[in-house]
């Protein structure tokens, strides 16, 4: 650290000392930057920079492990709230709940959302729109189908893989919002049940969205009591769909 000069802070009008500091780590390692000592303005600036750096590191790690283009199927690439066209009152309500989920999203107020039931009602479309909405608000989100996720985990067992299973689980644990599409569609085995438990358990107290073609009663048989109790808990809103009928547990907040 090298002293450079004294000056008056434009923000608080206090006399401050300006130092030159070499960055010791990160992508800017070795570069020099100025540090102003003597006012709250500089401390606030440095705190914000630390938060931004942490967020950028998490985003880069997410992109390294989960290539977005490999996660989204072709028919969902352009799915958004704007191009979701409800055909009935049920779909209108699903869209309203999904939009509200994005609007009230806060890291310190975890909420789970489960779309459960029939095919072809737009569950995956709206879940993908939720992911885009959350990322549009400067949070991180991952949208991936459960069968595809399990295949990705298995691919890490290859000697040629540059990542391991723990890298994937850790990334899923740290992302601000995880959207697991098609829960229950995976081929059931002891291995899949354990992997799903590891993932869902790591998301306790964090925002997670699920879509499934199974009813809650059927899903508990597919996942087991242990996994099911972590999907549907006190933080979870369930929108159960069957034909043109639906049941919604009111979202808190």
């Amino acid at each position: 650290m090298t002293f450079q000069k004294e000056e008056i802070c434009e923000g608080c009008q206090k006399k401050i000392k300006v130092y030159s500091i070499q960055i010791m780590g990160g992508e800017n390692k070795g570069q020099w930057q100025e540090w102003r000592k003597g006012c709250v303005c500089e401390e606030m600036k440095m705190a914000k920079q630390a938060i931004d750096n942490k967020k950028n590191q998490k985003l880069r790690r997410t992109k390294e492990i989960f290539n977005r283009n490999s996660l989204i199927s072709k028919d969902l690439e352009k799915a958004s709230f704007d191009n979701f066209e409800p055909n009935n009152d049920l779909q209108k309500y699903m869209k309203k709940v999904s939009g509200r989920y994005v609007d009230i999203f806060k890291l310190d107020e975890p909420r789970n959302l489960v779309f459960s039931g029939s095919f072809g009602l737009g569950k995956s479309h709206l879940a993908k729109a939720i992911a885009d909405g959350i990322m549009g608000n400067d949070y991180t989100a991952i949208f991936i189908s459960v069968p595809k996720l399990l295949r990705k985990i298995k691919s890490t067992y290859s000697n040629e893989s540059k990542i391991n299973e723990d890298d994937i689980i850790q990334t899923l644990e740290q992302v601000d919002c995880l959207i697991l599409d098609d829960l229950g569609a995976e081929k059931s085995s002891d291995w899949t049940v354990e992997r799903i438990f590891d993932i869902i358990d790591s998301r306790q107290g964090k925002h997670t969205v699920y879509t499934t073609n199974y009813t809650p009663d059927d899903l508990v048989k597919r996942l087991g009591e242990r996994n099911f109790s972590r999907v549907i808990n006190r933080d979870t809103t369930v929108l159960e769909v069957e034909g043109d009928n639906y049941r919604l547990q009111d979202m808190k907040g």
Side-chain angles (χ1 to χ4, degrees):
M1 181 169 63
T2 304
F3 174 74
Q4 289 185 318
K5 59 183 176 180
E6 289 187 341
E7 61 182 35
I8 302 298
C9 174
E10 294 181 359
C12 62
Q13 298 300 306
K14 290 184 177 180
K15 181 182 290 187
I16 59 176
K17 294 182 178 181
V18 182
Y19 295 86
S20 181
I21 300 177
Q22 190 172 30
I23 300 173
M24 303 304 295
E27 61 180 4
N28 295 320
K29 181 179 179 180
Q31 296 182 18
W32 290 82
Q33 68 176 18
E34 287 188 344
W35 176 50
R36 289 166 170 77
K37 181 180 179 181
C39 71
V40 177
C41 301
E42 185 66 17
E43 293 175 4
M44 292 176 63
K45 178 182 176 182
M46 292 182 69
K48 181 180 183 303
Q49 187 177 45
I51 293 172
D52 289 344
N53 287 341
K54 185 175 181 180
K55 183 182 293 185
N56 289 335
Q57 287 177 356
K58 183 164 65 173
L59 183 59
R60 283 196 301 272
R61 185 58 175 163
T62 300
K63 288 180 177 179
E64 286 175 6
I65 295 178
F66 291 95
N67 182 330
R68 182 169 171 77
N69 293 330
S70 70
L71 305 185
I72 307 295
S73 60
K74 291 292 183 182
D75 58 333
L76 288 177
E77 283 182 353
K78 297 181 179 180
S80 67
F81 288 126
D82 289 339
N83 60 26
F84 182 80
E85 298 180 0
N87 294 319
N88 51 45
D89 290 341
L90 166 61
Q91 290 181 323
K92 289 179 183 177
Y93 204 77
M94 289 170 61
K95 182 177 181 179
K96 180 180 178 180
V97 170
S98 301
R100 188 176 178 215
Y101 187 90
V102 174
D103 292 340
I104 64 176
F105 188 93
K106 293 181 181 178
L107 290 180
D108 58 351
E109 296 180 11
R111 303 171 189 268
N112 299 334
L113 180 60
V114 177
F115 289 113
S116 163
S118 305
F119 294 89
L121 288 172
K123 301 188 301 294
S124 297
H125 184 125
L126 290 172
K128 193 267 184 180
I130 287 173
D132 288 344
I134 287 171
M135 288 188 290
N137 290 335
D138 291 329
Y139 296 105
T140 58
I142 292 174
F143 175 103
I144 189 169
S145 75
V146 174
K148 187 174 288 188
L149 174 56
L150 293 173
R151 288 197 297 272
K152 187 168 187 65
I153 291 175
K154 283 186 176 180
S155 72
T156 66
Y157 300 162
S158 166
N159 292 332
E160 298 178 357
S161 177
K162 295 181 180 179
I163 59 173
N164 58 42
E165 182 176 339
D166 288 341
D167 291 329
I168 292 179
I169 301 298
Q170 187 178 61
T171 301
L172 296 177
E173 177 183 354
Q174 293 177 350
V175 72
D176 296 332
C177 184
L178 175 63
I179 294 91
L180 293 175
D181 190 39
D182 237 359
L183 183 64
E186 67 281 351
K187 186 177 180 180
S188 183
S189 69
D190 290 343
W191 182 85
T192 59
V193 170
E194 287 303 316
R195 294 295 83 69
I196 290 173
F197 174 80
D198 290 341
I199 294 164
I200 293 176
D201 190 56
S202 75
R203 296 298 304 174
Q204 298 307 290
K206 299 173 183 177
H207 298 269
T208 312
V209 177
Y210 305 89
T211 78
T212 178
N213 293 323
Y214 291 91
T215 65
D217 288 342
D218 291 333
L219 196 60
V220 69
K221 297 175 185 177
R222 293 281 302 176
L223 299 179
E225 291 280 356
R226 185 175 65 162
N227 283 338
F228 183 80
S229 66
R230 284 162 173 76
V231 172
I232 298 181
N233 54 41
R234 62 184 178 84
D235 296 327
T236 305
T237 295
V238 181
L239 182 60
E240 187 177 353
V241 181
E242 188 171 348
D244 291 331
N245 300 316
Y246 62 95
R247 182 167 71 247
L248 176 69
Q249 299 174 6
D250 287 336
M251 185 179 289
K252 305 186 294 295

